[in-house]
Amino acid sequence: MKFEDLTNLIEKQGADIFKANLQQFIQPVASKIEESVEYLEAKGYDDNTDIMLIVIEEATRLVRKLRKHGVIV
């Protein structure tokens, strides 16, 4: 195996590990946001400010996790 091939393999494995770790951290938050938005779409936005606040808080939490892991700045 060439040095270049080995370097590419190590980089790919590192990217795969990073992606798996990132998904582990953000998947629960992303799922909660999706479920809340689906609820709002089904029930309407009127009188559901508590759910809207949850969506905003969870979205903020997601952004912070992405920043913490260096995905966004």
Side-chain angles (χ1 to χ4, degrees), residues 10-70:
I10 292 169
E11 286 177 0
K12 182 177 180 340
Q13 287 176 342
D16 290 345
I17 291 169
F18 175 76
K19 182 179 176 182
N21 287 338
L22 185 61
Q23 286 177 336
Q24 175 186 345
F25 285 110
I26 67 169
Q27 189 60 45
V29 178
S31 294
K32 188 171 182 181
I33 291 170
E34 287 176 326
E35 289 170 8
S36 297
V37 169
E38 287 172 4
Y39 175 86
L40 287 170
E41 289 172 343
K43 300 290 183 178
Y45 295 93
D46 295 335
D47 299 324
N48 281 315
T49 54
D50 55 336
I51 303 295
M52 289 186 279
L53 289 174
I54 290 170
V55 170
I56 293 168
E57 289 168 358
E58 291 298 318
T60 302
R61 196 169 136 212
L62 179 61
V63 168
R64 288 180 180 148
K65 283 184 178 235
L66 291 172
R67 281 199 175 122
K68 179 181 175 184
H69 292 283

